[in-house]
Amino acid sequence: MSLSLLTDAFDFAGYRDRFARKGRIRLEGALSHEDAHAVHHALEQQTLWELHLVDSEGQPDILSRTELETLNPSEIQDRLAAAAERAQTGLSFLHLGYDLTSKEALVNLGEDHPLFALAKLVWSADFAAFCENLTGLSGLKLQSLIATGYRPGDFFTMHTDAQAALTFEWNFTHDWRSDWGGQILFHSPSGDIEGGIMPRLNDLALYAGDQPRSVASLAAYAGAPRFAVTGRFVRK
C-alpha cells in the first residue's frame, strides 16, 4: 500500500500568511477520502497499542502490550492514578500510543499496514517540503512520529515544545461531536483559550512548537476513541 499527498487543492500563499499571523493552521483533505478511511480503520482495528502516561515524578511511562496483559490490575490503576494526580499540578498525559519513529516499530507493522504507508509518507522529503510550503518555514527535519488514541478520560495537559520548529497532528477521527472533548486547545498567557481544533477525519493541523496547548479530556460519554498521528520537526 502507498499513500500520496493531494497537494493541488491548497492555497499555499494563504496558509503561509495565516501561519505568519497566528502560528497555526489546519487543512482538510491532504489524503484521498478512501486512504484516510483506511488509516482510520487501521488505527481502530489493526494497531497494537501501548499505554502512554506520566509517572508521579513527571517522567514518561510506557506500558507495553505484554505489561498490560500481565501486570496486576491494581498496579495499572496505581499508575493511572499517578498520571491523574500529576495533572493537577503540571505536565501529564494519558492515552494510547504506538511509536512510528523507530525502524523496529515500523517493521513490526508490516509493509501492508496503512500506518506503515502513512509513516513512510510523513518521513519523506516530500512531506517536509509540503509543510515548509504551507508555513513558510525552511530546513525542517522530522524528529519523531507517534500514533495516538484517546479514550474517555484520556488527556494531555497544557504544554509547549520550544525546541521544535514545527509540530503537527494529522487527525483520523470521524463523526465526532464537539461536546465529547478531545480538541487541541491553544492557551493565551493569561490562561484564556485562544482557539481550538475539533477532531475530524483527514484533518492536518500544524502549529509552532512554542504555542501553549493541551488536548481536552474526552468526556465519559464520548462515543468513540480519538485517533491521530502526531509529529515533531526540528531545524536541520
Side-chain angles (χ1 to χ4, degrees):
M1 180 179 186
S2 63
L3 301 178
S4 300
L5 288 167
L6 304 180
T7 59
D8 295 335
F10 303 111
D11 174 14
F12 287 97
Y15 280 115
R16 287 194 296 271
D17 178 68
R18 197 172 311 152
F19 187 84
R21 288 186 287 108
K22 299 186 67 175
R24 60 181 183 268
I25 54 175
R26 58 168 290 268
L27 58 153
E28 297 180 76
L31 289 179
S32 72
H33 188 69
E34 294 77 12
D35 286 345
H37 271 282
V39 173
H40 167 81
H41 179 76
L43 290 165
E44 184 178 53
Q45 303 289 339
Q46 301 171 300
T47 301
L48 298 176
W49 294 104
E50 301 172 327
L51 187 61
H52 291 217
L53 63 164
V54 170
D55 65 20
S56 59
E57 303 300 320
Q59 298 301 311
D61 187 15
I62 297 177
L63 295 180
S64 69
R65 293 287 299 183
T66 300
E67 289 175 307
L68 290 172
E69 293 168 357
T70 59
L71 282 176
N72 189 301
S74 63
E75 182 175 348
I76 296 176
Q77 286 302 316
D78 287 344
R79 290 160 88 161
L80 296 176
E85 183 176 355
R86 180 74 185 179
Q88 298 174 22
T89 57
L91 174 65
S92 188
F93 53 79
L94 171 63
H95 57 76
L96 301 177
Y98 188 87
D99 176 53
L100 297 170
T101 303
S102 71
K103 290 184 178 179
E104 180 183 0
L106 295 177
V107 169
N108 288 340
L109 285 174
E111 294 187 8
D112 293 333
H113 198 292
L115 272 187
F116 182 96
L118 183 68
K120 183 178 179 181
L121 172 64
V122 173
W123 281 102
S124 71
D126 287 344
F127 184 74
F130 178 64
C131 293
E132 289 176 349
N133 203 9
L134 285 165
T135 61
L137 302 175
S138 60
L140 294 179
K141 178 183 179 181
L142 189 65
Q143 186 179 63
S144 61
L145 187 67
I146 182 174
T148 61
Y150 285 71
R151 308 149 303 163
D154 287 353
F155 61 87
F156 201 139
T157 62
M158 187 170 67
H159 60 285
T160 59
D161 186 359
Q163 303 303 312
L166 181 71
T167 53
F168 69 87
E169 178 180 272
W170 204 336
N171 203 282
F172 292 97
T173 307
H174 62 67
D175 299 328
W176 197 257
R177 281 177 31 176
S178 59
D179 61 326
W180 289 355
Q183 296 91 347
I184 304 174
L185 301 176
F186 297 95
H187 302 256
S188 73
S190 63
D192 293 320
I193 303 299
E194 292 186 331
I197 300 175
M198 191 179 84
R200 295 179 177 88
L201 183 69
N202 202 11
D203 194 271
L204 178 60
L206 303 101
Y207 33 91
D210 60 358
Q211 287 210 5
R213 59 192 181 274
S214 63
V215 176
S217 177
L218 266 64
Y221 54 85
R226 173 198 190 276
F227 295 117
V229 172
T230 67
R232 178 180 191 273
F233 283 106
V234 295
R235 299 281 189 182
K236 292 180 182 177

